[in-house]
Amino acid sequence: MAAHKIAHATLKGPSVVKEICIGITLGILAGSVWKMHHWNEQRKTRAFYDMLERGEISVVAAEE
């Protein structure tokens, strides 16, 4: 019996350079998002302590 020839796409292995580039890009993006979050939290904390020092807010609950 004759084997039928079927055209299949040849699968290549992963490209090491491409994988490294994708990894670096994802790492930089994730690091940037984390850094922006961290800076935002620092800004909120700094604003809280500035307001506390100026006496605009208090951490003691007011008695009624």
Side-chain angles (χ1 to χ4, degrees), residues 24-62:
I24 289 172
T25 303
L26 290 175
I28 289 172
L29 287 173
S32 299
V33 168
W34 173 253
K35 209 57 171 161
M36 286 189 288
H37 168 73
H38 182 67
W39 287 336
N40 191 32
E41 290 299 315
Q42 278 186 331
R43 183 184 53 80
K44 286 187 215 174
T45 303
R46 199 172 304 119
F48 170 78
Y49 282 109
D50 287 343
M51 288 171 46
L52 188 63
E53 189 174 309
R54 289 191 303 256
E56 295 176 11
I57 59 172
S58 175
V59 293
V60 179

Side-chain angles (χ1 to χ4, degrees), residues 12-27:
K12 294 181 180 178
S15 171
V16 177
V17 175
K18 185 178 177 182
E19 293 288 329
I20 291 172
C21 291
I22 290 172
I24 289 172
T25 303
L26 290 175

